[in-house]
Amino acid sequence: MSGLRVLVGCKRVIDYAVKIRVRPDGLGVVTDGVKHSMNPFDENAIEEAVRLKQKKVVKEIVVASCGPAQSQETIRTALAMGADRGIHVELPAGTEADLQPLAVAKIFAKLVEKEKPDMVILGKQAIDDDANQTTQLLAGMLDWPQGTMASVVDVGDGNVTITREIDGGLEDISVSLPAVVSADLRLNEPRYATLPNIMKAKKKKIAKMNPGDLGVDIAPRLKVLNVVDPPVREAGEKVPDVSTLMDKLKEKGHL
Amino acid sequence: YQRRVRGKVNEKIVSLISGIVGPENITTSESARNLHGTDESFHPTRAPDAVVSPLTTPHVVEVMKVCHAHRIPVIPFGTGTGFEGGVGAMHGGICMAMHKMSEIVEVNACDFDATVRAGVTRHQLNDWIRADGLHFPIDPGAGASICGMCSTSASGTNAVRYGTMRENVLNMEVVLADGTVVHTAGEGRRPKKTSAGYNLTNMFVGSEGTLGVITQATVRLHGIPEATAAAVSSFPSIESAVDTVVQIMQCGLPMARIEFLNADMIRACNAFSSLDLKETPTLFLEFIGSPANVEEQALLAEELCTGNGGENFTWATEHSERERLWRARHNCWYAIKATRPGAHAYSTDVVVPMSHLPEILLFCDQLAGKMGVPAPVVGHVGDGNFHCFLLSNQDIDSETNLIRDFSRDLALKAQSLGGTCTGEHGIGLGKRELLIKEIGPGAYETMKVLKKAVDPLFIMNPEKVIALEQLIS
């Protein structure tokens, strides 16, 4: 193996530690002035690519992100972690919530055409929409095998062995390259971007383009009707004894 | 309080405070009060009469004015992870629980500083700034709040590299007993160094809630290390281990962490973590820098260790390997607690000049032998600081007294060697007598003058650091 090229995707999302607030119009969540970070599963994806590069299995890591101008910061973080160059598919400000997995998969299919990677690694899902669809859609579009929810990735000669985290436990599969893989949390522990690497990353190249340049129609196919907070948890009720408990349960129709 | 009338937290007071912070931010429930009168120390729970959770500085100010007018004691509360009984409400009163003030106000990555409100924990801050390549490195082990760490002048395993809170706080917002708001270095200011007036910032750092309520702190940030290497080496004796530490420091090796575990501690760690380290004094070292740099440091340290009879020097840079090498050190506390499940664990906290470490470690060992208890020790030897963990059944007086005596004797020995009775944990309730001995009449008198000036009604965390009877006499 002379060294693979890997295309990794990353998404700029609201930081997982932020308390989410629903927008007054009930059609989304407040994003203005709210801290954003790289989607945690994407950190795992990039980390895996960097580790493969350190093992000399991979020779080049290209990181791509679809989002507003600020997505550039997310790409810079990936570059500071060890990716070689970036691609920013830029969206007009305020439209990022309309970009759905089908559109992302179409964009990545075009990027795969351009960059000809041997493997695509994505985070298994974004923590804002929890869709867990892009990897699967992309694999379908490319007619490539997929290894999703990967907690172990082992690259062999022209193939990859993947351990998948599934409901019943773990599943080992082997897929031939090229393939699409999605990273799960237990795949690795992502490194921190350190100051010297952040400095060096500023010099790495980020190519800019918009979906139109790739000939992709990103119009949403799903419409958000309503976004609401989960109901406020109500206080419990203490009862003096078991028979009262039984009566209350029957009363509320639980028995 | 014989001379001053102490107020009671009655329904009127609860109602007044409820009007300030909202009824959802004050509680008199027994479980909340007990929780807020308990920390990780040896001292029994002393519940306040009510727990107040302010959201803003004006809340704190108005609540303080009520408490001041009615002479009600106020005990600030961070995360309850203190080791010296700082949270106990010895004369009842209000617990001022700061956890709802959890905003990170600003991070200035280019200037390496961050400003946080009183409820922010160090983990929360480090999480927030991780993408900037920065961290707040002071690591006391517990998930403490940053302002709580200001309050006790906390330290950690990497003080040898980064210093303690004293060296890392640039400014604080403090609300005094009468509701006055003080910005110790001036509002909004964050110079890295200053000669402007008295050092109020470091007067409040370490004051353990006895001089005011810390509502906000501006702290120094540091770069996340590029590369880290960890190493372990066992030694034939305490002296050889300490000699190695002295030489390492004298070589100017910029150690990140340098920790010592004695044989008793290694034995417990082996049992707890299923390790097979040699049961003999052991050093755990950590180096940070560029990848080339840490290798250089590790190899030099290896030379120094083996030169002093050190054996089995092993080092690694890879993350999981480093974790494995340091496992004994990380699990110390739990390993000791596991030797006697259900027992309460107490940690001593003395510091001596490094050159006196072998003498006091030997003394500690002999003291333990005399008292018939094991004396496992973990030490931040680069600072001359070590902790001896003692276990007891808190319901058995003889065991409680033994710990009290052991701790006092060890502290007195440390003081006789030019050290201190507390390097990290604070004076709290249990070391007030030792403080008097340690700093002498001139300094103690000055401390009392300061306390009386800033809190003339003695409502700020009464009985901590300086006993009430000392202030009243």
Side-chain angles (χ1 to χ4, degrees), chain B residues 437-460:
Chain B
K437 257 205 125 272
E438 183 163 316
I439 59 167
Y444 193 62
E445 201 48 49
T446 308
M447 286 190 183
K448 287 200 276 183
V449 164
L450 274 169
K451 167 70 172 178
K452 287 175 190 173
V454 157
D455 177 25
L457 298 183
F458 306 150
I459 62 170
M460 293 309 309

Side-chain angles (χ1 to χ4, degrees), chain B residues 24-308:
Chain B
E24 68 279 14
N25 292 317
I26 175 168
T27 176
T28 53
S29 91
E30 192 184 337
S31 59
R33 290 187 296 114
N34 282 336
L35 180 69
H36 287 85
T38 312
D39 62 11
E40 295 289 337
S41 75
F42 187 71
H43 301 280
T45 299
R46 290 296 292 261
D49 299 312
V51 179
V52 178
S53 311
L55 301 173
T56 62
T57 300
H59 276 178
V60 177
V61 168
E62 295 309 313
V63 172
M64 285 313 304
K65 285 181 178 167
V66 168
C67 294
H68 196 250
H70 295 89
R71 287 159 160 70
I72 292 169
V74 175
I75 300 95
F77 186 102
T79 51
T81 45
F83 266 122
E84 295 294 340
V87 305
M90 310 310 287
H91 294 283
I94 297 288
C95 166
M96 189 85 79
M98 310 306 287
H99 65 279
K100 288 187 182 176
M101 294 176 64
S102 59
E103 302 84 17
I104 293 173
V105 176
E106 67 180 40
V107 173
N108 298 299
C110 308
D111 298 320
F112 291 78
D113 66 62
T115 299
V116 300
R117 304 291 282 156
V120 174
T121 63
R122 65 186 184 93
H123 292 311
Q124 185 190 341
L125 176 61
N126 279 329
D127 207 57
W128 195 259
I129 58 180
R130 68 194 190 278
D132 295 315
L134 298 172
H135 71 320
F136 177 71
I138 320 264
D139 175 11
S145 65
I146 291 180
C147 291
M149 290 167 67
C150 290
S151 184
T152 57
S153 188
S155 168
T157 48
N158 50 22
V160 64
R161 177 62 172 253
Y162 297 110
T164 69
M165 287 306 278
R166 279 188 189 189
E167 289 81 45
N168 285 281
V169 183
L170 301 175
N171 196 352
M172 289 191 298
E173 180 186 82
V174 184
V175 178
L176 301 183
D178 64 359
T180 305
V181 178
V182 173
H183 295 273
T184 59
E187 187 167 4
R189 302 200 186 292
R190 47 192 182 89
K192 276 294 177 319
K193 48 194 227 185
T194 174
S195 305
Y198 304 150
N199 189 347
L200 291 184
T201 303
N202 275 348
M203 183 181 88
F204 287 100
V205 169
S207 60
E208 303 183 49
T210 61
L211 299 181
V213 181
I214 301 172
T215 46
Q216 179 172 293
T218 303
V219 296
R220 260 183 226 280
L221 302 175
H222 300 260
I224 292 173
E226 231 194 310
T228 306
V232 190
S233 180
S234 39
F235 289 84
S237 64
I238 295 176
E239 288 87 341
S240 57
V242 177
D243 282 346
T244 307
V245 175
V246 170
Q247 287 164 16
I248 283 177
M249 302 304 284
Q250 287 181 342
C251 273
L253 262 179
M255 298 305 301
R257 293 180 158 91
I258 179 160
E259 300 282 291
F260 167 90
L261 268 62
N262 72 354
D264 273 352
M265 186 65 90
I266 295 287
R267 188 169 308 123
C269 293
N270 277 344
F272 183 73
S273 304
S274 307
L275 304 167
D276 58 7
L277 294 167
K278 201 160 173 220
E279 284 170 17
T280 178
T282 307
L283 285 183
F284 292 77
L285 308 103
E286 190 177 286
F287 316 93
I288 56 180
S290 71
N293 200 234
V294 298
E295 173 161 1
E296 209 183 300
Q297 291 178 49
L299 293 176
L300 178 51
E302 177 170 23
E303 232 182 276
L304 294 171
C305 287
T306 50
N308 286 298

Side-chain angles (χ1 to χ4, degrees), chain A residues 15-16 35 192-196 198, chain B residues 112 127-128 130 132-133 223 225:
Chain A
D15 187 276
Y16 78 89
K35 183 177 212 275
Y192 291 105
T194 61
L195 291 177
I198 292 173
Chain B
F112 291 78
D127 207 57
W128 195 259
R130 68 194 190 278
D132 295 315

Side-chain angles (χ1 to χ4, degrees), chain A residues 82-215:
Chain A
D84 296 297
R85 57 185 170 85
I87 299 174
H88 180 196
V89 181
E90 191 166 351
L91 307 172
T95 66
E96 54 269 24
D98 292 332
L99 188 72
Q100 292 166 357
L102 182 62
V104 179
K106 287 187 209 170
I107 291 173
F108 269 76
K110 285 289 178 186
L111 293 178
V112 164
E113 234 177 87
K114 281 174 90 261
E115 299 290 337
K116 306 193 191 328
D118 302 288
M119 191 158 64
V120 179
I121 310 180
L122 306 175
K124 79 167 180 188
Q125 66 198 56
I127 60 171
D128 48 15
D129 60 18
D130 276 340
N132 193 341
Q133 296 170 9
T134 308
T135 311
Q136 295 86 338
L137 290 166
L138 178 61
M141 285 173 192
L142 297 172
D143 197 25
W144 283 12
Q146 59 186 270
T148 58
M149 276 75 98
S151 62
V152 179
V153 169
D154 199 356
V155 179
D157 197 1
N159 58 52
V160 192
T161 310
I162 291 157
T163 301
R164 304 182 59 230
E165 302 230 338
I166 60 174
D167 284 347
L170 299 171
E171 178 188 54
D172 293 330
I173 61 170
S174 179
V175 302
S176 57
L177 289 173
V180 190
V181 173
S182 76
D184 211 325
L185 271 185
R186 266 172 286 265
L187 179 55
N188 53 47
E189 175 135 6
R191 68 199 57 207
Y192 291 105
T194 61
L195 291 177
N197 289 337
I198 292 173
M199 285 303 293
K200 284 182 212 157
K202 290 186 183 158
K203 300 209 179 88
K204 296 183 182 177
K205 292 207 180 340
I206 301 179
K208 268 232 237 304
M209 58 195 71
N210 56 51
D213 297 333
L214 297 168

